Amino acid sequence: MMGRRTVGRRTVGRRAPSRYGRALGALALGAALCASAAFMGRASAASPVAGSGTPRPYAYAADDTTVEGTTTTTNAARLEPGRTYRSSLGEGGKLYYRLALDATSNAYVSATAVPGPGATVSYADGVKVSVQDDNGRRCSSSAAAHFGASESPHPVAAWASREIGPTKYSCQTAGTYYMVVERVDTSGSSASSSRSPGDWDLELGYVSEPALKKAGSTRAPETWNSASPEALQGDARTRAGGAGFATAGALDKGVWKDRISPGQTLFYRVPVDWGQQFYAGAELGSSTGGDGFVGTALVVSLYNPVRGFVDDVGCGYDGSQRAAALDPLPPVAYENRYALNDRTSSMRFAGSYYLAVHLAAQVAQKFGDGPFGLTLRVRVDGAAHAGPAYAGRADPRDVFDAAAGAPAEVSGGAVAGAGGRAGGSGSGADRHMKVVAAGGLGTGTALLLVLAVWTAVARRRARVWAAAGDAATTASPAAHALPGDHAAPRGR
């Protein structure tokens, strides 16, 4: 603070700092600026899109555990409920992971396949997941999650389950089970657990759902409003999508806008409670140049709270704005699991539902690298009601809690995530705020150290000047710290 201060019992005025003091001040400022610049570089690297418009890699959960799949059930690594894992899958691969299941809980497993940078994929390439018991009997499996007509590499997820209930006849006992992850491709190569240039990375999820305290209806609701609602209007609010399930941007009812580059996949999460009905659509903005047509340019996929595929929709692109909307889905209900229709059966949980929006890499060949404008229209209709009475606790705990996934507005329009392992480790905004705190702490600490040296030198010189009779001794400035069988993506 400028003005007068007391040094010991002498009150002195402030004089201009010496050349040495000015140099140290510049050093302190330089340290602060360098630390701030380093932080800004780290924060920028966390963005889904680099400054050049090149999509960032898939964002795994910060607490993912690396695990190796095995080509046989012998020595298969055990997965724990409530956690997510990283692994890899070679061309033509089929890998096993071990599950220890009780006789009361439902187990849901998922695998998100992530082709490497520059990977080439065909319409038929994809990933498939199943659960088997120790006698090789299949409890459930998913249809293969294909990349589809876009033939553009992007994250795709498949799921499977072991369910307990009166309508199930196999896999009803406690014991050892296996999650089986298979790569579906056209290469014809043999299974391998070692990494190769054609390997895909995997993010594995495992959610445990407790039994009900009291058994209820085993029939899915037969009537619900299947009419498409009127499209939402109004000015769009900006919301950045994440680069993976764990960093998905939080949305609620409204119109939202973002930017997307060819080859990029953006993830968003929307809390949907028991009894509520979810609607979503996406619009790709017009281009500023280019010519031609891309048959499957934009793909919007919906996943439920256990990363199980629900539905998808796609559209072509000729440089003019194009829109695609998911068909109406039933309200969230526990009894939906008994439906024969996969879309209905997948709407069995309350919690965060995930929108994965992919723009095909081929768009860049005809319309440039972008980024392009993206508008999302999200509705969550209906009054929420109490959910089923579970006899225990889900793992992770808040995976079926819609309130835990609700966006919490903070300054600047950023969103604080709900945390919890179900969604990884919170939203991308959460992690960015943690980096801000760490960066600010580092900058303040460095500045304090430099200013402390400056203060010590100045005080020493003050004592020397005092002994020599210098009545204009200058005090240093104070240092300041700076602030079941399941469907899978069709790929369209």
Side-chain angles (χ1 to χ4, degrees), residues 54 123 131 172 217 221 316 318:
T54 302
Y123 178 95
V131 174
Q172 299 296 288
S217 172
D318 61 0

Side-chain angles (χ1 to χ4, degrees), residues 58-64 82-86 108-114 129 142 145 156-160 202-207 244-248 267 302-310 346 349 352-354 396 399-400 420-426 486-489:
Y58 180 82
Y60 296 89
D63 55 358
D64 274 357
R83 301 186 60 179
T84 52
Y85 298 83
R86 286 192 65 169
Y108 299 94
V109 292
S110 65
T112 303
V114 185
V129 177
S142 66
V156 294
W159 66 314
L202 297 174
E203 186 169 48
L204 309 177
Y206 174 13
V207 173
F245 284 102
T247 60
F267 288 79
L302 178 65
Y303 296 91
N304 66 25
V306 301
R307 304 187 184 182
F309 173 74
V310 179
S346 299
F349 314 110
S352 289
Y353 280 73
Y354 297 89
V399 63
F400 305 133
R421 289 184 298 181
S425 55
H486 308 292

Side-chain angles (χ1 to χ4, degrees), residues 270-451:
V270 183
V272 187
D273 216 333
W274 301 105
Q276 293 186 318
Q277 200 165 2
F278 176 78
Y279 306 90
E283 178 185 313
L284 183 63
S286 57
S287 69
T288 57
D291 187 32
F293 181 74
V294 179
T296 303
L298 188 72
V299 178
V300 181
S301 302
L302 178 65
Y303 296 91
N304 66 25
V306 301
R307 304 187 184 182
F309 173 74
V310 179
D311 197 10
D312 61 7
V313 65
C315 65
Y317 190 64
D318 61 0
S320 299
Q321 63 273 18
R322 288 289 182 268
L326 295 168
D327 289 336
L329 293 157
V332 170
Y334 183 90
E335 294 77 17
N336 282 340
R337 67 192 61 209
Y338 302 114
L340 298 178
N341 179 287
D342 287 326
R343 294 176 71 254
T344 300
S345 178
S346 299
M347 300 296 293
R348 64 179 69 184
F349 314 110
S352 289
Y353 280 73
Y354 297 89
L355 286 170
V357 182
H358 176 70
L359 183 61
Q362 294 86 332
V363 171
Q365 300 171 9
K366 299 184 181 296
F367 302 100
D369 293 333
F372 297 82
L374 175 68
T375 303
L376 299 172
R377 303 180 192 277
V378 174
R379 297 183 71 110
V380 179
D381 290 347
H385 60 66
Y390 285 117
R393 191 177 68 190
D395 200 358
R397 171 181 286 187
D398 60 0
V399 63
F400 305 133
D401 183 0
E409 297 291 344
V410 295
S411 61
V415 173
R421 289 184 298 181
S425 55
S427 74
D430 285 338
R431 272 196 289 280
H432 291 174
M433 292 306 294
K434 292 176 183 176
V435 176
V436 169
L441 178 61
T443 302
T445 302
L447 187 57
L448 280 172
L449 289 174
V450 174
L451 290 178

Side-chain angles (χ1 to χ4, degrees), residues 51-90:
S52 64
T54 302
R56 291 288 180 188
Y58 180 82
Y60 296 89
D63 55 358
D64 274 357
T65 301
T66 299
V67 63
E68 291 291 333
T70 56
T71 55
T72 70
T73 55
T74 306
N75 297 323
R78 177 178 171 178
L79 306 184
E80 298 288 345
R83 301 186 60 179
T84 52
Y85 298 83
R86 286 192 65 169
S87 193
S88 63
L89 184 63

